Amino acid sequence: MLMKRDKSVLLIVDVQARLAPSIHDSDKVAASCIWLARVAERVGVPVVVTEHFPAKIGGTLDALRAVTPAAEYVEKQCFSAQADGCLKGTAVEARRQVIVCGTEAHVCVQQTALDLRWAGKEVFVVAEASGSRDPANRDLAFARMRSHGVEIVSCEMAAFEWLQRGGTELFREINRDFIR
């Protein structure tokens, strides 16, 4: 199945100030989340951002918050945002496809993705925009999620599938401003 911008929502999970320095390759993970959020905004895909106990772990990274002014922000206590109930009433509930990224891949990202899948959503996890403290845990999470029907994709896969075609003004803008 392909990601369609009119059916998709980008869900950014727990990219938070006190957790980020512990994540393997954290700069790349954060930059990829920022890139995705900016592309989503440009093509009209809504963005939802979760924060796990922000009073203890810190809020969303400033650089990510700066590019997501229109995003819906929700706080959670459960590792799975779906189990927590904080996604009710957001674009995640309203859209069929959920493109997920964030940290940690083997905890909050995985539990959220699996719960969304079991709730009947089409779920895609963006590999380079998802991280864990130990890359082995991230890789295990990707394998486990894939075995349960979650698709593991890249940033550019999401962008090009949202665009659907070349030769448009939107394609030229995205290609000029975002394609690496």
Side-chain angles (χ1 to χ4, degrees), residues 25-47:
D25 215 1
S26 64
D27 290 343
K28 180 180 179 187
V29 171
S32 296
C33 289
I34 290 166
W35 188 91
L36 271 172
R38 292 180 64 220
V39 170
E41 189 272 332
R42 185 78 63 92
V43 302
V45 171
V47 178

Side-chain angles (χ1 to χ4, degrees), residues 30-102:
S32 296
C33 289
I34 290 166
W35 188 91
L36 271 172
R38 292 180 64 220
V39 170
E41 189 272 332
R42 185 78 63 92
V43 302
V45 171
V47 178
V48 176
V49 179
T50 69
E51 295 179 322
H52 188 79
F53 282 110
K56 293 184 181 183
I57 304 175
T60 299
L61 289 177
D62 289 342
L64 179 56
R65 187 172 281 281
V67 301
T68 56
E72 297 175 89
Y73 276 78
V74 296
E75 292 185 18
K76 65 185 187 65
Q77 295 179 1
C78 293
F79 296 126
S80 167
Q82 177 70 2
D84 193 88
C86 66
L87 299 176
K88 289 192 185 310
T90 70
V92 173
E93 185 176 54
R95 298 276 177 124
R96 176 153 182 74
Q97 298 181 331
V98 186
I99 290 70
V100 184
C101 62

Side-chain angles (χ1 to χ4, degrees), residues 93-144:
E93 185 176 54
R95 298 276 177 124
R96 176 153 182 74
Q97 298 181 331
V98 186
I99 290 70
V100 184
C101 62
T103 58
E104 284 192 79
H106 68 293
V107 185
C108 297
V109 169
Q110 175 181 255
Q111 290 185 32
T112 299
L114 291 176
D115 277 346
L116 287 167
R117 183 72 186 110
W118 294 327
K121 299 287 186 179
E122 296 172 10
V123 182
F124 305 81
V125 172
V126 184
E128 69 268 37
S130 300
S132 294
R133 288 164 291 142
D134 182 343
N137 279 328
R138 184 197 69 165
D139 295 344
L140 287 169
F142 289 167
R144 183 174 181 204

Side-chain angles (χ1 to χ4, degrees), residues 135-154:
N137 279 328
R138 184 197 69 165
D139 295 344
L140 287 169
F142 289 167
R144 183 174 181 204
M145 288 186 281
R146 187 178 285 118
S147 75
H148 289 282
V150 173
E151 298 201 30
I152 309 302
V153 299
S154 71

